[in-house]
Amino acid sequence: MDATTAPHRIPPEMPQYGEANHIFELMQNMLEQLLIHQPKDPILFMISHLQRDNNNVPKIVILGPPASGKTTIAMWLCKHLNSNLLTVENLIAREFSSLAAGARRHYQNVTKVPSTLLVRLIQERVSEEDCIRRGWILDGIPETREQALMIQTLGITPRHVIVLSSPDTVLIERNLGKRIDPQTGEIYHTTFDWPPEAEIQNRLVVPEGISELETARKLLEYHRNIIGILPAYPKILKVISADQPCMDVFYQALTYAQTSHRSNAPFTPRVLLCGPVGSGKRLQAALLAQKYGLVNVHCGQLLKEAVADKSKVGELIQPYFQKKMAVPDSIIMKVLGQRLSQQDSVQKGWVLHGFPRDLDQAHMLHSLGHQPSRVFFLNVPLDSIIERLTLRRMDPVTGERYHLMYKPPPTVEIQARLLQHPKDTKEQVKLKMDLFYRHSSDLEEFYRQAIAINGDQDPYTVFEYIESGIINPLPRKVP
């Protein structure tokens, strides 16, 4: 929100709608495509672009030295993501393309395709309907910095670039055992990945150019080129060690390919912290409010303030406080709804803790239009909670708070007069823990995109995990 202009009464639903439907990213992507393609009729172009609805299709580049397994990983990603694999071999093998025919003639003469021709082949291929609809994965392309810049100039921009890395000695040893099935194109290895079927074993052939000398020459050329390619993809690049089991490499590559990059969209955090008593919700809320200027909304504190202000709602709450009874959800929602609808909450965002405690309250919060954009569950074992709470003490003379383990009193005299709050007894703590976990599974089911965090560690470490969860986009679920 623009705080420099006069305050606008913006309903909470407006920024929520924009964030939920990725309006900023949609407009940003459309503007990028307009500037790249510069169509004669921008309106028709934008309509066509929106109808395609392909902003989230895979656009992946996989690079790596010879024998790093990049082709295998690229093929597995294609199958898993239902995308199109683009290699030098299948680009020049296309039947109904004059560009491919010219590339084949070059390849037969010098076993290499000129960069200009290869980039034009890529441009032709990615503009076809199946690549527009299902995306593409470039295997081993670009090979040089020149190709990387030429591809970028044409507006072909990958969303994820994966670089496989491994020691040269490992790659040379791995390359010597490589075998190819001429019928399927599948790659096997005499040591690591030998097919069990005798029929496949008998038809495997040794590929050309895998001798130790030839592999060393290719590695030298790769290392010379890769240092120029990597700076072309500074924010979308991930290096993965290929010196580990192939499935581990694949799952790391798949996880990265399914992550969303941080958006430049304006974002108003609406954070909900859930967790049992003593899990550190209040401290984390205070840290978030302090660093990001969020409105710290503690449900219990709101009720106390309403009573202290002697408002009409406070008068309704007062009898429940006097009788030490639970305040009805309808009254809580009235107080909470008013606070979350205030201009500072809408403008700055908020961090809520102490509510909802069960599924009914979560539904009520949702019905008022106050959906959190991030939900965190702070998980702390019972033993740690008991240790945190039952050892808390207060000095009745000074009002100073102590903890017998983490912040012991400085003198024996002070220790002798310390008092324990009745709510900090072991029985009361267990009762509250049981109450929380009775409803926690329902809340976790309701907030399916919630992020679980180990709350049984240093509070500033917990804060870093929460901060990362707020700043970065929510991960897409792996199918």
Side-chain angles (χ1 to χ4, degrees):
M1 301 294 175
D2 186 1
T4 62
T5 61
H8 303 292
R9 289 293 167 188
I10 300 172
E13 296 81 8
M14 288 179 64
Q16 289 179 23
Y17 177 84
E19 290 166 16
N21 294 279
H22 308 288
I23 301 298
F24 181 91
E25 292 90 340
L26 188 70
M27 301 304 293
Q28 184 184 42
N29 184 269
M30 206 151 46
L31 180 61
E32 286 174 358
Q33 295 304 312
L34 280 170
L35 294 174
I36 289 168
H37 296 284
Q38 300 177 15
K40 291 182 179 178
D41 190 335
I43 302 299
L44 281 177
F45 178 85
M46 286 190 288
I47 292 170
S48 173
H49 176 74
L50 289 171
Q51 286 174 337
R52 285 175 181 171
D53 190 27
N54 68 338
N55 287 342
N56 293 315
V57 298
K59 293 181 180 179
I60 302 169
V61 166
I62 297 187
L63 304 173
S68 60
K70 60 182 179 294
T71 299
T72 301
I73 299 301
M75 290 171 67
W76 288 358
L77 284 174
C78 270
K79 290 177 183 177
H80 195 93
L81 300 173
N82 190 29
S83 192
N84 298 284
L85 180 63
L86 278 59
T87 66
V88 172
E89 290 74 20
N90 67 27
L91 285 171
I92 67 175
R94 300 176 68 227
E95 294 181 6
F96 305 107
S97 167
S98 57
L99 285 174
R104 282 196 295 274
R105 287 193 293 272
H106 273 284
Y107 196 79
Q108 287 166 359
N109 293 332
V110 294
T111 65
K112 201 168 184 68
V113 181
S115 293
T116 307
L117 188 53
L118 178 61
V119 171
R120 287 175 62 197
L121 277 170
I122 295 169
Q123 184 185 27
E124 180 184 68
R125 181 70 182 92
V126 299
S127 63
E128 293 180 356
E129 184 60 30
D130 60 337
C131 281
I132 291 171
R133 192 164 28 87
R134 296 191 288 119
W136 43 263
I137 298 176
L138 281 173
D139 172 20
I141 308 172
E143 299 169 329
T144 63
R145 178 170 176 79
E146 179 192 20
Q147 290 179 8
L149 297 178
M150 289 170 70
I151 290 170
Q152 283 184 341
T153 304
L154 293 172
I156 302 169
T157 52
R159 291 198 179 92
H160 301 88
V161 176
I162 298 167
V163 179
L164 303 184
S165 173
S166 187
D168 287 358
T169 51
V170 173
L171 296 171
I172 291 171
E173 180 187 352
R174 187 184 292 179
N175 214 26
L176 293 172
K178 187 185 291 184
R179 299 293 183 270
I180 294 179
D181 185 340
Q183 288 188 15
T184 64
E186 290 280 351
I187 298 173
Y188 295 94
H189 196 277
T190 54
T191 305
F192 307 118
D193 186 22
W194 192 244
E197 299 87 353
E199 181 184 354
I200 298 176
Q201 292 176 12
N202 294 332
R203 66 173 184 245
L204 294 183
V205 296
V206 179
E208 295 180 1
I210 66 166
S211 67
E212 186 171 342
L213 189 63
E214 185 68 18
T215 303
R217 185 189 66 77
K218 289 179 180 177
L219 285 169
L220 188 64
E221 183 181 4
Y222 169 81
H223 291 309
R224 191 164 53 240
N225 287 322
I226 195 67
I227 58 173
I229 296 173
L230 299 186
Y233 306 109
K235 295 182 179 179
I236 55 172
L237 180 72
K238 182 173 180 64
V239 178
I240 298 175
S241 170
D243 191 15
Q244 56 182 322
C246 206
M247 287 304 295
D248 291 351
V249 178
F250 168 66
Y251 279 115
Q252 288 178 45
L254 178 63
T255 301
Y256 178 62
Q258 291 183 316
T259 58
S260 301
H261 297 299
R262 190 181 300 181
S263 169
N264 293 321
F267 176 55
T268 306
R270 301 180 304 280
V271 182
L272 173 60
L273 299 179
C274 296
V277 59
S279 58
K281 301 186 295 295
R282 186 175 303 202
L283 173 60
Q284 297 303 326
L287 292 173
L288 286 171
Q290 181 182 20
K291 182 164 184 177
Y292 293 102
L294 306 182
V295 176
N296 189 348
V297 183
H298 180 251
C299 194
Q301 190 63 32
L302 280 180
L303 299 178
K304 291 176 184 176
E305 288 173 3
V307 172
D309 292 342
K310 298 181 180 178
S311 62
K312 290 183 179 180
V313 181
E315 291 174 2
L316 294 175
I317 299 169
Q318 181 72 33
Y320 295 98
F321 274 17
Q322 290 173 345
K323 297 176 184 177
K324 296 185 178 180
M325 293 172 61
V327 179
D329 289 348
S330 57
I331 298 177
I332 295 175
M333 287 310 304
K334 190 169 184 178
V335 175
L336 188 58
Q338 287 175 353
R339 187 65 190 92
L340 297 180
S341 298
Q342 286 180 16
Q343 189 62 21
D344 61 344
S345 296
V346 176
Q347 237 177 6
K348 299 177 182 178
W350 43 261
V351 52
L352 172 63
H353 51 112
F355 190 92
R357 297 178 184 271
D358 57 41
L359 187 59
D360 289 339
Q361 291 181 347
H363 279 295
M364 292 173 75
L365 185 66
H366 186 83
S367 66
L368 285 180
H370 299 294
Q371 295 97 350
S373 56
R374 294 291 187 276
V375 180
F376 298 94
F377 280 88
L378 305 183
N379 296 325
V380 182
L382 176 60
D383 290 347
S384 297
I385 294 285
I386 289 173
E387 182 183 283
R388 289 182 183 185
L389 299 186
T390 60
L391 299 180
R392 293 195 300 196
R393 298 293 186 270
M394 189 184 76
D395 185 343
V397 176
T398 63
E400 184 74 23
R401 294 176 181 273
Y402 295 98
H403 190 281
L404 298 183
M405 182 176 290
Y406 304 125
K407 188 188 173 184
T411 65
V412 177
E413 181 187 356
I414 294 175
Q415 184 168 356
R417 67 177 185 239
L418 294 182
L419 299 176
Q420 183 184 40
H421 197 286
K423 69 178 183 181
D424 288 342
T425 62
K426 193 172 183 179
E427 293 74 20
Q428 285 296 313
V429 171
K430 283 187 173 181
L431 190 65
K432 289 182 179 179
M433 287 284 287
D434 290 342
L435 190 63
F436 171 78
Y437 284 113
R438 197 179 305 161
H439 300 289
S440 62
S441 58
D442 291 335
L443 289 173
E444 287 171 9
E445 181 66 22
F446 184 78
Y447 296 114
R448 293 193 174 184
Q449 286 196 300
I451 300 171
I453 292 178
N454 175 17
D456 191 20
Q457 50 188 331
D458 178 78
Y460 292 97
T461 303
V462 175
F463 177 71
E464 286 176 5
Y465 280 112
I466 293 174
E467 192 176 28
S468 173
I470 293 172
I471 292 171
N472 295 307
L474 289 169
R476 297 203 295 271
K477 299 293 183 183
V478 177

